[in-house]
Amino acid sequence: MRTERSRRAKLALYGLLCVLAVPFVFPTWWMVTSSLKPANEIFAFPPTLWPADATLHAYGRVFDFAPFGVQYFNSMYIALVVTVGTLAVSSMAGYAFARIKFPGHNLLFLVVLVGLLIPSEVTIVPLFQMFNRFGMVDTHWPLLLVPIFGAPSVLATLIMRQFFIALPAEIEEAGRMDGLGRFGLYWRMALPLSRPALGAVAIFSFLHSWNLYLEPVVFLSTPEKFTLPQALTQFTDAYGGPMWDVQLSAATMTALPVLIVFIVAQRQFVEGLAHTGLKG
Amino acid sequence: MRHPRLLLAAALAAPLVLAACGGGSDDGPVTLRMTTWSANEDHLAMLNEIADAYIADHPDVEAIEFDPLPFDGYTSTLTTQIAGDNAPDLAWILENAAPDFVTSGALVPLSETLSGTDGYEYDDLVPAATELWREGDELYAYPFSTSPFAMFANDDLLAEAGQPTAAELIESGEWNWDRVVEAGAAVHAQTGADGIVIRDFDYTGWDNLSTLWTGWGASAWSADGTECGFDDPEMTEALTFMHDAVFEQEAMPGPGTTADFFAGEAAFTVTQISRAGLLAEAPFAWDLVPLPAGPSGEYAVIGQGGLGVLTVAPHPEEAADFLAYMTNPENSVKLAQFFPPPRASQLTAEVLGQANPLLSAEQLQAVVIDRIDSGVVKPSHTGQAQLDQAVRAALDPLWTPGADVEAVLADLCAAIDPLLAR
Amino acid sequence: MTEADTETAPGREASRPARPSWWTARRRDNLAGFLFAGPQLAGTLVFVLLPLGLMFWYSFHEWNVLAGGFRFTGAENYERLVQDPALPGVLGATAAFSVGLVALNLSLALVLAILLDQKLRGTILFRTIFFSPVAVTLVAWTIVWRFLLQDDGGINGLLSVVGAEGPNWLRGETTAMAAVIVVQVLKNVGLNMVLFLAALQGVPKELYEASTIDGAGAWTRFRRITMPMISPTILLTSIITVVGSLQVFAQIDVLTKGGPGTSTTVLVYYLYQNAFQFHDFGYGATLSVLLFAIVLVLTVIQWQMRRKWVVHED
């Protein structure tokens, strides 16, 4: 009786999960399959779930049309540099704010937190002028420096600080006994223990950089320097008419690799995220 | 213990101060930069060819860079560059941004440079084409592209629906909007394809509707730009006609429906002739004809692109000199491969035909040459971006089945009157 | 909670003889603190505070970008802000979007987390599915949804299969706002879900066992035990979600461009229009100041509210 009820409950639960999963899976499915359809089938109504006449034609045209390979490389290397840079800057700052009682550390931390509250749209004009003064417009510097040192890295610092605050004091005591200085404590004791938090910061910063849209649109004007989100909106003919199939193929190529990497490594990602100080 | 903070502040401030002081100009050969909205390889190859020839003769110019910006948001991107002290020397300017650029002092006056250039034949420029780009007699930008709107027709779809072709309708004197909508509705009813697509309108780019309402003698605002024209009877009639065509006869696709004429999904489309290139591999029979007549008779609408030199550019003098070279009669013929020129002597089927092998001499004569003089330019106004946004938002309620056209248009005028008055 | 421990001076450095007397272990540690936090502090100064200051400065000017004019106009922009006829609508849309997004995001995240917290096979698969949009490029995700939400797009196609006729989503004022909210929630709900899941799994099981013995039902257990235990997570996620909801730009730009009418023109989009489309950077700066003030006030309110409902803040 009881097992029968729990079996039903289980089935109901699975059913609910499956229904809920549809809007999460369908867009990606549709994007991938539509990118294989010829342009006129994309708008077939009702839509076909699988292309009647699959073709990779549009994928080739992506590369004809834009320096897509270079743009892919740009996005990739910028995201990687931003990730590594953010890990360094935010773990050090997070460590300092959590474990070193230097004068004004609480006040300074509050000041840093202001960055969390500023939409990038607010500061884009002055930033543009500042970078222009240094001749850095239409270079990748703004897309590297601002995420690593500016407002976007504040969330990372917050995550790291919350994590380091929770580290038991005894661990550092032991390190001190071994004669470690501040840097030693940070590098040898704190960092190795903070892998989950570092993992979360890495995902956040990678995705943030990878998704950046307004900044590249404002800062970059040479197609060879474009990043992917910016490139994605440019698949139009010379008069602004959209080229749907090519655009979808490009979108698939930007989304799928990251998605696959994520699915393969998702356990570390999600668990890293789950074990951060963000849980309070 | 305050030292570290002070040091930090000093270290941070130093480069800012240095940068603020630096930035003087050097006297060596200069590099010019020109923004365009075309990333088309053939366009860029032609521009580079002209530039290379110029550089060979002008040691003071080291290089000329062409910088294609995305068409979508072109004016915004250009303005952002100007705001960031990163203005190009020369820029293509969209017709709807013309009043803003011409009246604000953003552009260098060109009349003297152009008329003073040997062999330029300044008087050859068609006044109707340069009107938008002048303030009084002073020319601020060169209309390098002056392209009338026309109608493409898919003869296969028309035949399938048992309708006469566009050419036959012209022949029989029935080439008017009423008949075209009738044909479009028949195509939609019988083939499932769409009837008429006003390209790039897509229920947001409302200025493209001037290709329709001009046939009713309507205009968005008075010639001096002070009075709203949307609540005039002509406009009300034109937009009621359009509303019925969409929602009653279903001759035009409704909002949120995508139909691409060039992929064979519609019987007619209104657009510029340069799009003929998209038909190179079209698997259907097509024709290019002038816009159908409206209640007020035959008419033409033209779209333009201007080329100007920015006042805040790093090298305005060199840029103006290059502009004069680039648009002289000889180079104008090269430009004419892609962009109908504003020069009377070059508005011939022969010159235009070189770039449009898909179009016959008769088509070019009827659509371009005969209409360029009488063409009404698409609507534009100072503060265009804001007006554009306001009109789009106020027109949105019109695109529902039961809309009260008159009321919507009255509201529209109320919304844009303060903007027009500025 | 454990910060105080770092203060104890380590014995080793103190015994070194050749140091000047002011170079104490304490000062050494202070220097280390500044050096560690240095890059972040410098970045905040240069990339956050300086541009923010410039923005305030601009907001007192009329800036004619095309003609290169930059003129001090005092509070003129602020007077215009107060009188701007479009602003009430914009703020209304902003509030509707933010409230809708935060409510839907947090409640859906919590529901998903609770479902995945059950002892079931295959929860990892579902967790991956719900989290996967987070890994899809934002612009790609939004472009795909623009296709799907068209009148003849995939959503209405699916509906027509089951015999229903869907509305023209992006052309109706209410449906467009709902669509923008849902698309954004689906994109990011996975992040909050994972954080909630971690919090749920951190609730000590003994608490539940004790209450089961007391005869408390599932809902009572949830309200009395689960909610209080995960309230710090709810606070943090809600702050991040609220702030994020006020920064939505690419989604609106790709999906609706602020329409139909001005129904989805939220403050950030209005700001962008004024600064980058109407070339009115002075007024754009004024709107930025308003946006910043709103974010600041909301965050302070949320932070104050934590005393009321966040139970174990230590």
Side-chain angles (χ1 to χ4, degrees):
Chain A
M1 172 74 187
R2 198 187 154 87
T3 52
E4 175 61 19
R5 244 183 76 183
S6 80
R7 234 175 65 94
R8 268 197 212 163
K10 244 182 203 176
L11 269 179
L13 206 54
Y14 276 123
L16 186 57
L17 283 170
C18 287
V19 170
L20 283 171
V22 171
F24 291 85
V25 176
F26 183 63
T28 314
W29 171 265
W30 187 87
M31 171 177 76
V32 176
T33 54
S34 293
S35 70
L36 299 170
K37 296 174 186 172
N40 56 6
E41 199 190 327
I42 294 176
F43 289 104
F45 190 86
T48 48
L49 281 183
W50 184 254
D53 189 8
T55 163
L56 286 172
H57 175 72
Y59 281 83
R61 288 190 58 204
V62 171
F63 293 89
D64 291 346
F65 192 78
F68 197 70
V70 181
Q71 292 166 344
Y72 216 102
F73 173 79
N74 292 342
S75 263
M76 199 48 100
Y77 103 83
I78 290 174
L80 288 177
V81 172
V82 165
T83 306
V84 173
T86 309
L87 284 176
V89 168
S90 67
S91 67
M92 283 175 57
Y95 181 83
F97 288 127
R99 312 224 50 120
I100 309 179
K101 289 210 104 184
F102 56 99
H105 70 286
N106 271 332
L107 180 70
L108 287 175
F109 182 60
L110 275 182
V111 171
V112 167
L113 280 185
V114 169
L116 203 57
L117 307 180
I118 298 189
S120 47
E121 288 80 8
V122 169
T123 51
I124 192 93
V125 174
L127 280 176
F128 187 92
Q129 293 207 307
M130 288 161 59
F131 280 106
N132 190 54
R133 192 154 273 185
F134 290 90
M136 289 178 180
V137 163
D138 207 22
T139 71
H140 289 149
W141 285 110
L143 306 185
L144 294 169
L145 293 177
V146 175
I148 294 177
F149 295 102
S153 71
V154 174
L155 181 62
T157 301
L158 176 68
I159 293 176
M160 294 311 300
R161 175 183 178 269
Q162 297 303 97
F163 188 85
F164 285 132
I165 271 188
L167 277 189
E170 296 80 40
I171 295 175
E172 289 211 329
E173 276 311 304
R176 246 189 260 271
M177 291 300 164
D178 293 343
L180 291 179
R182 264 299 169 200
F183 189 77
L185 288 176
Y186 156 78
W187 186 253
R188 297 268 200 76
M189 312 299 289
L191 269 195
L193 287 170
S194 63
R195 279 166 73 177
L198 290 173
V201 167
I203 309 167
F204 269 126
S205 1
F206 184 90
L207 289 177
H208 180 267
S209 170
W210 187 254
N211 281 331
L212 225 48
Y213 177 64
L214 179 71
E215 288 80 357
V217 167
V218 169
F219 282 113
L220 303 179
S221 49
T222 313
E224 281 74 21
K225 292 175 185 157
F226 281 3
T227 58
L228 289 175
Q230 183 185 14
L232 273 188
T233 57
Q234 318 258 307
F235 288 100
T236 53
D237 60 36
Y239 314 99
M243 307 186 346
W244 308 109
D245 51 340
V246 184
Q247 194 177 37
L248 281 172
S249 307
T252 304
M253 281 190 277
T254 63
L256 266 200
V258 183
L259 196 59
I260 290 169
V261 169
F262 163 74
I263 289 172
V264 171
Q266 61 107 9
R267 193 175 281 245
Q268 278 95 332
F269 280 2
V270 173
E271 274 155 27
L273 202 55
H275 285 112
T276 61
L278 271 188
K279 65 181 152 177
Chain B
M1 65 182 167
R2 298 203 168 268
H3 298 311
R5 238 188 298 184
L6 279 178
L7 270 176
L8 204 70
L12 280 169
L16 279 177
V17 173
L18 284 178
C21 301
S25 61
D26 41 320
D27 293 318
V30 302
T31 296
L32 298 177
R33 191 168 72 93
M34 172 171 143
T35 55
T36 72
W37 55 74
S38 168
N40 183 302
E41 277 172 29
D42 298 334
H43 295 179
L44 292 176
M46 173 200 64
L47 292 173
N48 277 313
E49 185 195 320
I50 296 176
D52 289 344
Y54 180 78
I55 294 167
D57 275 354
H58 294 77
D60 54 329
V61 176
E62 190 175 35
I64 298 170
E65 291 169 0
F66 297 99
D67 191 356
L69 304 178
F71 181 82
D72 193 24
Y74 176 82
T75 306
S76 296
T77 313
L78 177 61
T79 313
T80 309
Q81 293 194 351
I82 298 172
D85 295 335
N86 188 34
D89 298 282
L90 301 102
W92 282 9
I93 295 158
L94 284 163
E95 78 227 303
N96 62 16
D100 279 332
F101 277 83
V102 169
T103 60
S104 67
L107 298 175
V108 173
L110 294 173
S111 305
E112 205 183 308
T113 314
L114 296 186
S115 53
T117 300
D118 281 343
Y120 192 82
E121 297 172 31
Y122 185 69
D123 295 335
D124 194 24
L125 303 183
V126 179
T130 55
E131 189 181 354
L132 184 62
W133 309 91
R134 276 182 284 134
E135 200 178 19
D137 281 339
E138 187 60 59
L139 186 70
Y140 284 91
Y142 174 90
F144 70 92
S145 175
T146 297
S147 183
F149 282 82
M151 194 169 249
F152 287 90
N154 182 329
D155 286 345
D156 285 357
L157 274 178
L158 288 168
E160 202 182 325
Q163 293 290 317
T165 64
E168 286 161 5
L169 285 173
I170 292 174
E171 193 72 22
S172 62
E174 290 176 277
W175 188 239
N176 57 55
W177 272 104
D178 282 320
R179 185 65 186 88
V180 169
V181 162
E182 194 183 308
V187 168
H188 180 64
Q190 292 178 36
T191 70
D194 276 296
I196 308 153
V197 175
I198 296 184
R199 197 162 166 89
D200 301 324
F201 164 52
D202 204 19
Y203 296 88
T204 50
W206 58 270
D207 54 347
N208 290 295
L209 292 184
S210 67
T211 55
L212 180 129
W213 70 50
T214 306
W216 275 253
S219 56
W221 35 74
S222 57
D224 63 357
T226 56
E227 265 176 69
C228 177
F230 280 95
D231 53 2
D232 291 347
E234 295 87 4
M235 183 63 92
T236 312
E237 206 184 309
L239 289 180
T240 306
F241 176 84
M242 163 111 187
H243 188 270
D244 288 348
V246 174
F247 295 101
E248 309 273 321
Q249 287 118 311
E250 297 186 353
M252 296 186 184
T257 308
T258 309
D260 184 1
F261 172 87
F262 297 96
E265 294 164 356
F268 300 102
T269 195
V270 175
T271 189
Q272 282 163 292
I273 58 154
S274 39
R275 312 289 174 97
L278 296 169
L279 290 167
E281 290 162 36
F284 53 85
W286 56 273
D287 199 357
L288 173 72
V289 291
L291 294 176
S296 68
E298 286 190 355
Y299 66 102
V301 177
I302 55 180
Q304 287 197 311
L307 173 61
V309 175
L310 293 160
T311 341
V312 291
H315 315 291
E317 278 170 39
E318 290 87 348
D321 191 61
F322 174 60
L323 189 150
Y325 174 80
M326 187 177 188
T327 61
N328 68 23
E330 188 190 334
N331 285 323
S332 174
V333 175
K334 292 182 188 155
L335 289 170
Q337 289 174 58
F338 303 104
F339 313 108
R343 288 178 174 274
S345 63
Q346 292 176 3
L347 281 170
T348 62
E350 194 194 348
V351 173
L352 294 178
Q354 55 171 347
N356 294 298
L358 295 169
L359 301 176
S360 68
E362 294 75 36
Q363 284 172 327
L364 287 166
Q365 183 72 36
V367 170
V368 184
I369 299 158
D370 292 350
R371 304 252 172 160
I372 217 158
D373 258 337
S374 63
V376 176
V377 183
K378 282 203 307 186
S380 60
H381 199 280
T382 49
Q384 176 72 23
Q386 205 163 355
L387 261 173
D388 187 51
Q389 166 62 25
V391 173
R392 180 190 67 67
L395 268 182
D396 273 339
L398 187 63
W399 311 122
T400 50
D404 177 349
V405 179
E406 224 165 300
V408 170
L409 294 179
D411 287 350
L412 195 165
C413 277
I416 69 168
D417 272 336
L419 297 172
L420 291 173
R422 254 186 226 169
Chain C
M1 43 184 163
T2 54
E3 290 167 72
D5 298 297
T6 53
E7 254 186 291
T8 44
R12 227 160 205 257
E13 285 91 340
S15 64
R16 279 184 193 161
R19 293 279 183 206
S21 61
W22 58 268
W23 188 241
T24 58
R26 178 64 192 267
R27 294 214 153 119
R28 226 174 109 84
D29 218 32
N30 287 343
L31 179 63
F34 282 116
L35 287 179
F36 270 58
Q40 176 88 74
L41 291 174
T44 300
L45 191 64
V46 177
F47 297 128
V48 178
L49 298 180
L50 182 59
L52 199 63
L54 285 171
M55 213 68 223
F56 271 100
W57 176 240
Y58 296 161
S59 75
F60 292 104
H61 292 77
E62 182 188 289
W63 184 354
N64 183 335
V65 175
L66 292 179
F70 188 70
R71 191 167 61 87
F72 185 81
T73 55
E76 234 171 68
N77 281 324
Y78 288 90
E79 282 163 28
R80 190 174 147 198
L81 184 75
V82 177
Q83 291 160 4
D84 187 342
L87 198 63
V90 168
L91 292 178
T94 312
F97 178 81
S98 290
V99 170
L101 180 97
V102 173
L104 186 62
N105 189 327
L106 292 183
S107 53
L108 183 61
L110 193 56
V111 167
L112 292 178
I114 290 171
L115 289 178
L116 293 182
D117 193 32
Q118 309 302 315
K119 288 200 188 81
L120 267 188
R121 271 162 193 278
T123 46
I124 290 189
L125 171 70
F126 283 106
R127 191 180 70 186
T128 311
I129 287 175
F130 297 139
F131 193 80
S132 64
V134 174
V136 175
T137 326
L138 175 64
V139 172
W141 178 257
T142 317
I143 286 175
V144 166
W145 274 98
R146 192 185 57 197
F147 279 103
L148 292 176
L149 289 165
Q150 290 217 350
D151 197 21
D152 55 356
I155 300 295
N156 286 348
L158 279 186
L159 287 176
S160 76
V161 171
V162 297
E165 194 181 330
N168 197 348
W169 297 97
L170 295 176
R171 300 296 306 188
E173 299 204 347
T174 329
T175 52
M177 177 59 91
V180 176
I181 290 174
V182 169
V183 169
Q184 177 63 4
V185 166
L186 290 175
K187 172 80 176 75
N188 277 339
V189 73
L191 274 178
N192 285 343
M193 174 195 77
V194 168
L195 296 173
F196 281 143
L197 193 55
L200 287 174
Q201 287 168 351
V203 179
K205 296 288 170 281
E206 304 85 58
L207 290 176
Y208 291 121
E209 281 157 22
S211 72
T212 316
I213 296 168
D214 291 346
W219 171 243
T220 317
R221 280 205 306 264
F222 178 75
R223 217 163 45 89
R224 294 266 176 80
I225 301 171
T226 316
M227 282 298 277
M229 289 303 286
I230 65 169
S231 53
T233 307
I234 298 184
L235 173 72
L236 254 158
T237 48
S238 67
I239 290 183
I240 294 175
T241 312
V242 167
V243 174
S245 77
L246 289 164
Q247 306 185 2
V248 58
F249 170 73
Q251 300 85 322
I252 301 240
D253 192 42
V254 173
L255 278 179
T256 65
K257 302 238 180 264
T262 52
S263 56
T264 58
T265 305
V266 297
L267 189 52
V268 164
Y269 200 73
Y270 190 56
L271 185 170
Y272 168 82
Q273 283 183 330
N274 273 282
F276 292 97
Q277 294 189 323
F278 309 161
H279 324 145
D280 196 345
F281 283 106
Y283 192 54
T286 315
L287 290 167
S288 304
V289 172
L290 175 67
L291 178 61
F292 179 61
I294 292 176
V295 174
L296 201 63
V297 167
L298 283 181
T299 309
V300 169
I301 291 176
Q302 279 175 298
W303 195 246
Q304 290 303 322
M305 270 165 55
R306 89 190 192 281
R307 289 173 212 284
K308 268 197 163 170
W309 58 276
V310 173
V311 181
H312 66 215
E313 250 301 302
D314 51 314

